[in-house]
Amino acid sequence: MSTKQMRHSLFKVHAVAAALLLSGTCAWAERPTDRYWAQLQGYWPSIESTARADVLATGQPGTEFSFESDLGLSDRKALPAVLLGMRFFDNWRLEFEYYSLERSATKTLGRQIVWDDTVFDIAAQLHSEFDSSIYRLTAGYSFLKSQDAELGVSLGLHITDFMVSLEGTSNVGIAFDREAKDALAPLPTLGLYGSYAFSPAFGVRARADYLSLKYQDYDGKLLNFEATLDWRFSQHFGAGLGYRYVDYRLDVTKSDWNGQLKYKFNGPFVFLEAAF
């Protein structure tokens, strides 16, 4: 074999090796082509929540109170969250998310609270609970999709299952019955989502869901925004940091509850992810 032929053969080998390396690198960065993904989050939000229950018998407005400042519930709590997703027909995707918040506290009241037909006076010892479970199911269509970028719209269902209860004693020792309100509110949402991988290992993602709708016994408004920075440390596993903001208001006109519930979550989270 001549020197010229040897050089030509070596050039072919190097070209093939470079192509294989580049192909492997691009495949690693193809997050928009993941078919299935699962994410476990640790969310650390600040929390603001208020509630009101009007007097059903007379229609008299109840007291709008803060769970944090008036009743002493924690304004920060670590929340685990689970996210599952799958892609089908290339441009279509389905996601399910779940997280829950449970808080309780006992506090001496600094002002009078009217809750339905019960009046809790100043200096009463009040035990309160606020439990909520949030389920988010969305179907999305990606109208822009490449190896390293994706942009789409989504239609979803935001379901909140919550329970609020107040019970305690008056400042002269009279016991009050436990007054509890609960509701399951399934409300539709419209959203946008997008992602961009700016290197084989790092990328960004964001999504926003919005709702303003009156439906049967509920009149709701929701803004749910999330942004993340992803690190794909292997072909199928990654980790990252994110920020989530949730602003939720629900007016209720049921036979056993006429009132309102509002809450805001906002803060950072960390996550681990598996994708295939």
Side-chain angles (χ1 to χ4, degrees), residues 45-52 63-76 101-104 111 113 115 128-132 162-164 246-250 260-266:
S46 63
I47 307 165
E48 300 177 27
S49 51
T50 64
R52 191 191 80 244
T63 306
E64 181 175 342
F65 58 86
S66 165
F67 284 97
E68 293 78 35
S69 59
D70 290 323
L71 303 186
L73 272 66
S74 173
D75 61 1
R76 276 199 177 271
L101 173 66
E102 296 181 2
R103 295 177 297 162
S104 64
R111 66 180 180 123
I113 290 179
W115 179 251
S128 59
E129 298 179 11
F130 179 22
D131 300 339
S132 62
F162 58 85
M163 185 279 296
V164 177
V246 180
D247 188 350
Y248 182 81
R249 190 213 74 217
L250 186 69
Q260 186 183 78
L261 176 73
K262 294 190 290 187
Y263 65 74
K264 290 183 181 180
F265 298 158
N266 74 91

Side-chain angles (χ1 to χ4, degrees), residues 172-263:
V172 293
I174 300 174
F176 293 103
D177 293 334
R178 181 175 182 266
E179 292 284 346
K181 305 294 183 183
D182 61 82
L184 178 67
L187 299 173
T189 60
L190 293 173
L192 289 171
Y193 62 88
S195 67
Y196 178 69
F198 51 83
S199 79
F202 292 96
V204 291
R205 284 182 284 185
R207 66 171 178 81
D209 300 316
Y210 179 76
L211 158 78
S212 182
L213 179 71
K214 185 173 183 179
Y215 175 72
Q216 294 184 353
D217 299 328
Y218 304 107
D219 185 0
K221 184 176 181 179
L222 167 73
L223 175 62
N224 188 354
F225 171 78
E226 180 180 304
T228 65
L229 173 63
D230 309 339
W231 172 40
R232 187 68 69 88
F233 54 78
S234 73
Q235 186 174 2
H236 297 299
F237 297 96
L241 300 172
Y243 172 85
R244 175 183 289 161
Y245 174 85
V246 180
D247 188 350
Y248 182 81
R249 190 213 74 217
L250 186 69
D251 293 304
V252 184
T253 54
K254 299 176 64 177
S255 59
D256 59 348
W257 184 12
N258 187 17
Q260 186 183 78
L261 176 73
K262 294 190 290 187
Y263 65 74

Side-chain angles (χ1 to χ4, degrees), residues 19-184:
L20 289 173
L21 180 60
L22 182 60
S23 174
T25 301
C26 289
W28 190 10
E30 288 179 7
R31 294 180 186 88
T33 61
D34 290 335
R35 288 291 178 181
Y36 306 96
W37 57 94
Q39 193 177 103
L40 181 62
Q41 300 178 359
Y43 184 32
W44 181 245
S46 63
I47 307 165
E48 300 177 27
S49 51
T50 64
R52 191 191 80 244
D54 300 337
V55 181
L56 291 173
T58 64
Q60 176 188 350
T63 306
E64 181 175 342
F65 58 86
S66 165
F67 284 97
E68 293 78 35
S69 59
D70 290 323
L71 303 186
L73 272 66
S74 173
D75 61 1
R76 276 199 177 271
K77 188 171 183 180
L79 307 179
V82 176
L83 173 70
L84 303 174
M86 66 174 292
R87 194 183 304 278
F88 55 98
F89 301 125
D90 292 332
N91 290 73
W92 290 90
R93 54 190 283 151
L94 191 67
E95 278 192 341
F96 171 78
E97 185 177 29
Y98 167 78
Y99 59 95
S100 65
L101 173 66
E102 296 181 2
R103 295 177 297 162
S104 64
T106 300
K107 185 178 179 179
T108 301
L109 289 181
R111 66 180 180 123
Q112 185 186 79
I113 290 179
V114 178
W115 179 251
D116 195 356
D117 59 355
T118 301
V119 178
F120 299 98
D121 287 320
I122 297 174
Q125 289 291 317
L126 191 65
H127 179 76
S128 59
E129 298 179 11
F130 179 22
D131 300 339
S132 62
S133 296
I134 293 91
Y135 308 85
R136 184 180 67 87
L137 180 65
T138 60
Y141 176 77
S142 302
F143 53 84
L144 186 155
K145 186 167 176 287
S146 66
Q147 287 188 342
D148 52 11
E150 185 174 20
L151 186 64
V153 294
S154 64
L155 178 64
L157 196 61
H158 185 98
I159 303 171
T160 304
D161 185 8
F162 58 85
M163 185 279 296
V164 177
S165 74
L166 305 178
E167 63 178 321
T169 58
S170 70
N171 54 357
V172 293
I174 300 174
F176 293 103
D177 293 334
R178 181 175 182 266
E179 292 284 346
K181 305 294 183 183
D182 61 82
L184 178 67

